[in-house]
Amino acid sequence: MEDPTQSSSPIFKLLLLLIIPVIYSTYVYQTDNYNAGPLPEDHSFETSISVPELHDRILAKAQRIGEGLLHGPEDLAYDPKSRFLYTGCLDGWIRRVDLADNGEFKVENWVQTGEHGRPLGVVLGLDGSLIIADAYEGLLKVSPDKEVEVLVDEAKGVKFGITDGVDVASDGTIYFTDASYKYRLDNHMFDILEARPHGRLMSFDPSSNETIVLLQDLYFANGVAVAPDQKSLIYCETVLRRCRRYYIQGEKKGINESFIDNLPGYPDNIRYDGEGHYWIGLSAGRTMLWDIFFKYPILRSILYVADKFVTVPKSMKNSGVLGVSLDGQPVALYSDPNLILVTGGLKIGNYLYYGSLYKSYISRIDLTQTKIPEK
């Protein structure tokens, strides 16, 4: 039998022709700016946590709201007084949906965050304002009369790359994340592929305009939610499929600890519903393919190079929303194999609303048609 490693083998020559350019290109790009790294040693590739209640065909029951008018409704904020649901869209507009109009769901163009704005996280402020984490403009405040103010766009001399998640504590302090100081939103997948800790968790004090970096070296720091007792907050690290708890008050102030690990997907936004549960958007379900990519940096480097020349499918399916108890126990998962890039969930009454990075509508499902999770 002919030895395929001999130079006379056409198969071996073909493999060399295919592999050498890939290895060379990977080296060139890696020495340029991109540098894929290994995940932390304590990151687990074991079986994902078990979720007691699974609803894995929610698209059949989902209702579309504002279809064609809400492109990329990334995060959701609800004002129970006016019954307006606010969201940030791809074109930089904050739009709001009237939930009190007998099911007509009228959509209003409320305010634009900037010429190049892309609002991600949104939350109501204590004074009736809307606080926005805009990927390109920074941390913003929009007054009730629609005046847009940039609160901060850098910390410790480092500009925000992707201002992402945001929440407000009862004392008015704003907590927010910068997913990556290295990359911008339009190439955020490079940060995911590089899998290095470029993210930060910060606080902003409106009374003094002081910004404090609470944590750094985070792996794509994403959603953030202040706990109901105001002693801690939960933040998500997308790349590591986990959410952690950081204490902001009390004896444990400054301590950073595990909240929920080994999620069945990649977490985006997180919101507390006022009824004993957090809701975590999972932008994609965990797959064997992505596990392999995250185990081996060289494979992510090859994918990075290939993506510069052709569109590489990222297998971002089986997205959904995970309900979690106050102590970090999974309760219920609402997902679908054909659901893509869900960014967050918000429970309002008997409905679970969820946004998306690229769809042109907000979706909602009626939780009375399924078993509502117990506290």
Side-chain angles (χ1 to χ4, degrees):
M1 181 180 293
E2 182 181 11
D3 184 353
T5 61
Q6 297 301 313
S7 59
S8 59
S9 169
I11 296 177
F12 183 66
K13 290 180 179 179
L14 179 60
L15 287 174
L16 286 177
L17 287 174
L18 292 173
I19 293 173
I20 290 176
V22 171
I23 295 176
Y24 174 75
S25 297
T26 300
Y27 173 77
V28 169
Y29 279 107
Q30 183 160 328
T31 55
D32 178 19
N33 187 42
Y34 175 87
N35 184 17
L39 296 188
E41 292 183 359
D42 62 352
H43 180 71
S44 173
F45 287 100
E46 299 297 323
T47 303
S48 298
I49 55 169
S50 176
V51 182
E53 189 178 319
L54 298 174
H55 305 275
D56 57 3
R57 291 292 188 275
I58 65 171
L59 283 178
K61 300 179 180 179
Q63 177 184 7
R64 296 179 179 183
I65 296 173
E67 187 168 10
L69 302 175
L70 300 169
H71 293 277
E74 208 273 350
D75 194 16
L76 308 172
Y78 179 62
D79 183 353
K81 295 181 180 179
S82 66
R83 298 194 65 184
F84 280 119
L85 180 65
Y86 293 84
T87 189
C89 297
L90 273 171
D91 57 4
W93 276 92
I94 297 291
R95 294 185 169 89
R96 61 184 189 179
V97 182
D98 189 352
L99 299 188
D101 62 356
N102 299 318
E104 293 185 15
F105 302 120
K106 294 179 181 177
V107 177
E108 174 189 349
N109 293 340
W110 192 58
V111 68
Q112 196 167 25
T113 58
E115 183 180 356
H116 304 291
R118 198 333 179 176
L120 297 178
V122 292
V123 66
L124 292 174
L126 302 185
D127 57 357
S129 61
L130 191 70
I131 307 300
I132 302 164
D134 188 291
Y136 297 108
E137 302 291 339
L139 186 67
L140 312 179
K141 176 181 178 179
V142 182
S143 67
D145 58 359
K146 298 190 283 189
E147 292 292 326
V148 180
E149 176 187 359
V150 178
L151 298 177
V152 64
D153 61 3
E154 66 176 18
K156 290 189 173 181
V158 179
K159 281 276 191 178
F160 304 153
I162 309 173
T163 325
D164 201 334
V166 65
D167 202 5
V168 178
S170 60
D171 64 359
T173 303
I174 301 169
Y175 295 92
F176 66 104
T177 59
D178 178 19
S180 172
Y181 63 78
K182 181 175 180 179
Y183 293 96
R184 305 308 302 270
L185 184 63
D186 55 1
N187 59 2
H188 74 280
M189 276 304 299
F190 293 162
D191 193 272
I192 301 293
L193 292 175
E194 190 166 320
R196 290 189 180 275
H198 301 137
R200 295 183 288 178
L201 172 69
M202 290 164 283
S203 66
F204 177 81
D205 185 348
S207 64
S208 64
N209 292 329
E210 181 183 18
T211 302
I212 299 175
V213 177
L214 304 173
L215 294 172
Q216 56 189 9
D217 298 330
L218 303 179
Y219 289 80
F220 207 87
N222 212 316
V224 58
V226 177
D229 65 4
Q230 304 295 304
K231 293 182 180 180
S232 65
L233 59 81
I234 311 299
Y235 67 91
C236 302
E237 287 182 282
T238 302
V239 170
L240 300 183
R241 291 186 293 104
R242 72 183 185 185
C243 301
R244 295 181 64 80
R245 185 191 298 275
Y246 178 82
Y247 286 87
I248 55 178
Q249 299 290 343
E251 294 180 357
K252 300 180 74 174
K253 183 177 180 179
I255 292 178
N256 184 37
E257 64 184 27
S258 173
F259 177 69
I260 184 169
D261 295 307
N262 213 11
L263 291 167
Y266 297 90
D268 198 313
N269 291 315
I270 179 171
R271 284 284 171 242
Y272 177 63
D273 64 6
E275 300 175 1
H277 297 99
Y278 295 103
W279 295 92
I280 303 169
L282 300 179
S283 58
R286 180 185 179 185
T287 64
M288 183 182 298
L289 177 63
W290 273 106
D291 275 2
I292 293 173
F293 278 131
F294 280 121
K295 282 182 180 179
Y296 303 106
I298 184 62
L299 294 182
R300 282 182 271 121
S301 295
I302 292 172
L303 186 61
Y304 167 80
V305 172
D307 204 47
K308 287 182 169 292
F309 301 103
V310 296
T311 300
V312 178
K314 303 298 193 306
S315 300
M316 295 296 186
K317 294 186 176 182
N318 208 25
S319 189
V321 183
L322 177 68
V324 177
S325 67
L326 293 180
D327 59 355
Q329 295 302 309
V331 177
L333 175 60
Y334 297 84
S335 64
D336 195 283
N338 296 312
L339 197 55
I340 301 173
L341 292 174
V342 166
T343 47
L346 183 65
K347 184 176 182 292
I348 303 173
N350 291 324
Y351 291 94
L352 178 63
Y353 293 76
Y354 57 92
S356 165
L357 198 61
Y358 295 114
K359 295 295 185 181
S360 66
Y361 50 83
I362 294 170
S363 300
R364 76 173 187 176
I365 55 174
D366 186 348
L367 294 178
T368 63
Q369 296 180 10
T370 62
K371 179 182 176 184
I372 299 177
E374 298 293 334
K375 294 184 181 179

